[in-house]
Each structure stands twice: as C-alpha cells, then as structure tokens.
C-alpha cells in the first residue's frame, strides 16, 4: 500500500491530484502500474482498496486525490525513503541513483525509531 501511496503522491505533487491533461492520456491505474512495474489490473485493485480505506479519493475526472489521511501516510513514506537515501549517500558513499534503488529495497526493514535516529544523525532535530 505504501508504495502505491508514494507513487500517487509523486504523480500528484505539487497540485495534490493527478488529472489527465488530454484525451488519450493514460489512466491513473495505467500510470501507477507503469511506475511500479505491475499489471494495470493489480494497480486498479490496489487503488480500489486504497479508496475503500479512505487513503485515496477520486475526483470528477477520475483523478486521484490524497485526502488528509492518505497525504500524511504518503508523506511519511516519502520522508522515510529520503532519510534512507541520505544515510546511504552521506555515510556509505553510494551515488544518488544507487541510494534510490537501495532505499526502495530497504524501506520496510527500518522501523520508525530507526528512521528518527538516522534523521537525528543527519543533523535534523527530533520531531515532536
């Protein structure tokens, strides 16, 4: 679910929603499927599940809108990914491209406490 929310977040940023710009533009499910390397059917099913859980809403033009709960969760996933990337680049010497790939692979292995400790080591103050 988190990978899908992250993908939707990136499709939606900075306007908060993904809206096809012209007729013939790929649907949201197609774009998400392409970005995640899954079938359109799988992406469509997950989008329905995210809608059912209140993490994604559809607008009048079938665009994806992240309601507050979805946005908060997506931003948490993006933050975690970026902190892991910084750990890999700043302390372990990986390139940005390498760090991005490894952060995707490692994301689920880091607890929230670990992410906070890494963030603190990176020089960011502890969040309240």
């Amino acid at each position: 679910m988190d990978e899908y929310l992250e993908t939707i977040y990136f499709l939606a940023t900075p306007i908060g929603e993904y809206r096809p710009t012209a007729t013939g533009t790929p649907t949201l499910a197609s774009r998400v499927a392409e970005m995640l390397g899954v079938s359109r059917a799988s992406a469509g099913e997950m989008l329905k599940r995210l809608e059912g859980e209140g993490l994604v809403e559809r607008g009048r033009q079938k665009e994806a809108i992240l309601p507050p709960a979805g946005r908060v969760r997506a931003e948490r996933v993006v933050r975690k990914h970026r902190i892991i990337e910084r750990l890999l680049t700043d302390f372990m010497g990986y390139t940005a491209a390498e760090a991005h790939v490894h952060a995707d692979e490692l994301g689920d292995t880091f607890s929230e406490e670990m992410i906070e400790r890494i963030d603190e080591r990176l020089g960011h103050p502890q969040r309240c």
Side-chain angles (χ1 to χ4, degrees):
M1 286 181 98
D2 287 344
E3 284 183 80
Y4 280 83
L5 286 171
E6 180 181 30
T7 300
I8 293 166
Y9 179 83
F10 285 123
L11 287 171
T13 302
I15 60 171
E17 58 189 80
Y18 166 74
R19 192 177 288 145
T21 55
T23 305
T25 301
T27 64
L28 176 67
S30 295
R31 294 281 312 274
V32 170
E34 179 184 343
M35 292 178 75
L36 292 175
V38 299
S39 72
R40 190 204 173 288
S42 293
E45 286 301 313
M46 181 56 80
L47 288 169
K48 286 179 190 173
R49 186 172 167 197
L50 290 168
E51 284 180 70
E53 297 208 15
L55 298 172
V56 171
E57 296 173 354
R58 294 294 185 106
R60 282 186 279 163
Q61 297 178 346
K62 299 296 182 190
E63 71 274 20
I65 300 169
L66 290 171
R71 178 167 292 283
V72 166
R73 186 161 167 181
E75 287 173 348
R76 189 177 71 235
V77 172
V78 170
R79 178 178 179 266
K80 184 177 193 177
H81 182 95
R82 289 181 177 158
I83 289 171
I84 294 169
E85 285 178 334
R86 286 280 315 275
L87 169 72
L88 295 171
T89 56
D90 293 12
F91 292 103
M92 300 182 72
Y94 284 94
T95 66
E98 291 169 329
H100 178 74
V101 170
H102 291 305
D104 278 342
E105 296 166 351
L106 295 169
D108 291 338
T109 63
F110 285 81
S111 69
E112 290 302 317
E113 184 213 352
M114 292 169 75
I115 291 299
E116 293 306 322
R117 285 185 181 207
I118 294 166
D119 196 34
E120 194 174 310
R121 285 284 182 161
L122 290 168
H124 301 115
Q126 186 89 29
R127 291 180 168 210
C128 298

